[in-house]
């Protein structure tokens, strides 16, 4: 039986010799060491103990729960977690702008966060120098959490060996009509990234949208309400194929599910998801502390080991059994295009779905 997430996290904590910040030491009976001097290099800051924090997060519970628990244990900060789709939660942040009820938005696609940047407070994490430059936001509106390649997932019981799609274009084959799981990009940040990735692979203007129209036709009206329904639907044989996150599919592979992963031959994207401090947050100190915690070495090691997510740190170890980023063909993903044109792209996709275009 696999070790529990909390057990693995404890092991990682011990392996990097990290003392918990402001809370009880993790998995040890030793007396806490005296705090280091303010100028000492530390994996985590020495923040104020206690307080409250409200998180808005589209993450799956199996990712959120152990990380939130460890943060609470270390810091004594009481966390309220509000879950939902990326689109719905971002609209909530927008609606609450005059009186923010949340403090941190955690793990929406960075391009989606960028589109709502006026509702976030820029913050340069104390771990900034340890992060890979290709993943960071030059304006520090959001902090990267994990790099997320987009892939095609397939069920090996429903897709004959040798008939697996190899490309985005293969998703247009009539034999897959109504058998492809895809989430509504208006509600799912990862689905929006997938849509822009496909548009980029075929051209952002007419050619790209012509492809999207054919793709929507092959979906046969089956637009799912959340990204979690995509990988679950494929694993549970509701769909033969699904466009989803690499890490979600890898977790099913590791768990023994009869599913496979394809990196489309035209190229895919590896846009990071991120975390951002909500502008006007009532618990600003705790919010910044949580951002630092997410990109600390031990939490980043955890997401690689347990959740098969790609770390955004320079010093991250190579994950065995996972394709290396250098070996995955990537499209030239236009981050500014994705962020500034989001409303227009989602509206046009909606018109295609409803037959208005």
């Amino acid at each position: 039986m696999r070790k529990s997430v909390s057990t693995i996290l404890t092991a990682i904590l011990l392996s990097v010799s990290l003392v918990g910040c402001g809370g009880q030491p993790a998995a040890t009976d030793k007396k806490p060491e005296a705090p280091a001097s303010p100028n000492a290099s530390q994996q985590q800051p020495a923040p104020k103990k206690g307080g409250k924090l409200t998180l808005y997060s589209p993450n799956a519970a199996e990712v959120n729960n152990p990380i939130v628990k460890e943060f609470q244990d270390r810091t004594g900060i009481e966390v309220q977690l509000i879950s939902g789709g990326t689109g719905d939660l971002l609209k909530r942040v927008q609606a609450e702008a005059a009186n923010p009820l949340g403090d941190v938005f955690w793990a929406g696609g960075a391009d989606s966060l960028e589109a709502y940047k006026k509702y976030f407070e820029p913050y340069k994490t104390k771990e900034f120098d340890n992060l890979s430059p290709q993943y960071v936001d030059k304006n520090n509106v959001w902090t990267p959490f994990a790099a997320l390649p987009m892939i095609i997932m397939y069920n090996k019981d429903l897709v004959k060996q040798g008939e697996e799609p190899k490309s985005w274009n293969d998703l247009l084959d009539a034999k897959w009509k109504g058998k492809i799981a895809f989430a509504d990009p208006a509600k799912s940040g990862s689905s929006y990234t997938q849509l822009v990735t496909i548009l980029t692979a075929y051209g952002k203007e007419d050619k790209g949208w012509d492809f999207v129209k054919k793709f929507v036709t092959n979906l046969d009206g089956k637009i799912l309400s959340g990204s979690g329904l995509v990988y679950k639907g494929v694993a549970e044989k509701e769909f033969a194929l699904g466009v989803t996150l690499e890490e979600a599919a890898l977790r099913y592979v590791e768990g023994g599910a009869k599913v496979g992963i394809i990196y489309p031959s035209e190229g895919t994207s590896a846009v990071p998801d991120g975390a951002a401090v909500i502008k006007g947050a009532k618990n600003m100190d705790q919010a910044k502390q949580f951002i630092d915690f997410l990109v600390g070495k031990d939490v980043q090691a955890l997401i690689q080991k347990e959740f098969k997510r790609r770390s955004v740190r320079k010093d991250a170890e190579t994950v065995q059994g996972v394709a290396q980023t250098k070996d995955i063909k990537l499209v030239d993903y236009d981050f500014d295009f994705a962020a500034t044109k989001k409303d227009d792209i989602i509206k046009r996709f909606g018109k295609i779905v409803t037959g208005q275009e």
Side-chain angles (χ1 to χ4, degrees):
M1 180 179 294
R2 290 196 309 160
K3 295 181 180 179
S4 68
V5 173
S6 59
T7 301
I8 292 174
L9 180 53
T10 298
I12 293 171
L13 291 172
L14 292 173
S15 70
V16 296
S17 301
L18 187 66
V19 177
C21 297
Q24 296 301 315
T28 178
D29 295 326
K30 293 182 180 180
K31 184 178 179 180
E33 297 178 9
S37 65
N39 295 323
S41 174
Q42 301 178 48
Q43 293 297 339
Q44 298 290 337
K48 297 177 182 178
K49 181 178 179 180
K52 296 182 178 181
L53 181 71
T54 298
L55 298 177
Y56 290 168
S57 178
N59 263 336
E62 58 263 30
V63 176
N64 280 341
N65 292 346
I67 292 176
V68 169
K69 181 181 184 301
E70 179 62 26
F71 179 72
Q72 291 185 131
D73 289 347
R74 287 191 195 184
T75 65
I77 294 172
E78 179 185 343
V79 176
Q80 180 184 23
L81 178 63
I82 308 297
S83 299
T86 301
D88 291 339
L89 289 174
L90 284 172
K91 289 177 181 177
R92 179 168 180 167
V93 171
Q94 181 181 32
E96 296 172 353
N99 181 32
L101 301 181
D103 300 305
V104 171
F105 195 105
W106 171 32
D111 44 2
S112 294
L113 297 183
E114 182 72 16
Y116 281 75
K117 63 183 179 181
K118 67 180 180 180
Y119 301 107
F120 297 119
E121 182 77 23
Y123 172 60
K124 185 176 182 179
T125 174
K126 295 178 180 179
E127 295 285 349
F128 185 86
D129 290 342
N130 294 317
L131 304 181
S132 297
Q134 68 265 36
Y135 298 130
V136 300
D137 172 27
K138 60 184 178 182
N139 297 314
N140 296 309
V141 172
W142 47 266
T143 300
F145 176 58
L148 302 174
M150 300 301 172
I151 54 92
I152 299 170
M153 179 180 177
Y154 66 97
N155 188 292
K156 294 182 178 180
D157 285 336
L158 301 180
V159 178
K160 295 180 181 179
Q161 187 174 2
E163 294 186 4
E164 304 92 343
K166 304 298 182 185
S167 64
W168 297 120
N169 191 64
D170 286 346
L171 298 180
L172 303 185
D173 193 315
K175 68 184 177 183
W176 305 126
K177 188 170 185 177
K179 299 177 181 180
I180 305 170
F182 186 73
D184 184 351
K187 297 181 178 180
S188 166
S190 59
S191 185
Y192 176 70
T193 301
Q194 292 152 16
L195 175 59
V196 175
T197 300
I198 291 172
L199 280 173
T200 303
Y202 285 92
K204 300 169 191 172
E205 302 303 330
D206 293 342
K207 289 184 179 179
W209 284 107
D210 286 344
F211 181 91
V212 171
K213 290 176 185 178
K214 295 174 184 177
F215 176 61
V216 168
T217 297
N218 231 26
L219 293 177
D220 200 25
K222 297 179 180 179
I223 309 292
L224 305 182
S225 61
S227 58
L229 297 176
V230 176
Y231 47 82
K232 290 179 182 178
V234 175
E236 295 174 3
K237 300 184 183 181
E238 295 179 27
F239 295 92
L241 310 174
V243 182
T244 188
L245 302 160
E246 176 195 57
E247 57 91 9
L250 283 172
R251 281 187 278 127
Y252 276 95
V253 171
E254 187 181 53
K258 297 183 70 175
V259 299
I261 295 173
I262 295 154
Y263 299 93
S265 59
E266 302 95 332
T268 188
S269 61
V271 176
D273 60 354
V277 177
I278 296 173
K279 185 172 290 186
K282 295 180 175 63
N283 301 296
M284 188 65 71
D285 288 343
Q286 289 83 356
K288 293 177 179 179
Q289 186 177 335
F290 185 73
I291 299 291
D292 294 339
F293 170 79
L294 289 178
V295 288
K297 189 171 183 178
D298 58 325
V299 173
Q300 287 287 300
L302 170 72
I303 65 173
Q304 285 192 288
K305 184 176 180 64
E306 182 64 16
F307 305 129
K308 300 303 179 184
R309 293 194 173 193
R310 295 172 185 265
S311 173
V312 295
R313 289 181 63 96
K314 296 175 183 176
D315 54 3
E317 295 183 5
T318 300
V319 180
Q320 300 301 317
V322 177
Q324 298 306 300
T325 302
K326 65 180 179 61
D327 297 326
I328 300 173
K329 184 177 180 180
L330 298 175
V331 299
D332 185 14
Y333 193 91
D334 189 336
F335 198 88
D336 289 336
F337 169 79
T340 59
K341 300 294 184 182
K342 183 172 184 178
D343 287 344
D344 294 338
I345 292 171
I346 287 178
K347 285 178 182 178
R348 188 166 184 181
F349 182 84
K351 287 182 179 180
I352 292 171
V353 170
T354 56
Q356 298 176 54
E357 181 179 335

